[in-house]
Amino acid sequence: MTEKEPHQSLDIKDLEKKLDQLIELYLSVKDENETLKSKQETLVLEKAHLLEKTTLARNRVEAMISRLKTMGQGS
């Protein structure tokens, strides 16, 4: 064995360790990304539902105001 071989072996083990850490970090970030996408989808659907309810409520209030104005003009 030459003097460089043990050093190269350490370099390879260090590289393998760093690669394992990188893979672990990648998988963690990938899981987090999937969770965030799911939450975003849920929030988008919830927002659409709330906008629909708001529009319905606004239309009802505008109709009530219109009827009140009509009633006020009739007296």
Side-chain angles (χ1 to χ4, degrees), residues 53-66:
K53 285 176 69 174
T54 301
T55 301
L56 190 63
R58 181 183 304 116
N59 290 340
R60 286 182 179 175
V61 168
E62 287 173 356
M64 286 191 299
I65 290 171
S66 180

Side-chain angles (χ1 to χ4, degrees), residues 12-71:
I12 290 173
K13 287 184 181 186
D14 188 44
L15 185 59
E16 287 175 343
K17 183 179 177 183
K18 288 180 180 180
L19 186 57
D20 287 340
Q21 290 172 342
L22 184 60
I23 290 169
E24 187 177 321
L25 181 60
Y26 164 77
L27 292 173
S28 175
V29 169
K30 183 180 173 190
D31 287 344
E32 182 180 7
N33 190 39
E34 288 174 6
T35 300
L36 289 172
K37 283 182 180 181
S38 176
K39 285 182 181 180
Q40 180 185 19
E41 186 177 323
T42 300
L43 290 171
V44 166
L45 292 172
E46 185 179 332
K47 179 183 176 184
H49 180 69
L50 290 172
L51 285 173
E52 184 180 330
K53 285 176 69 174
T54 301
T55 301
L56 190 63
R58 181 183 304 116
N59 290 340
R60 286 182 179 175
V61 168
E62 287 173 356
M64 286 191 299
I65 290 171
S66 180
R67 281 185 292 210
L68 287 173
K69 285 181 179 178
T70 302
M71 289 172 57

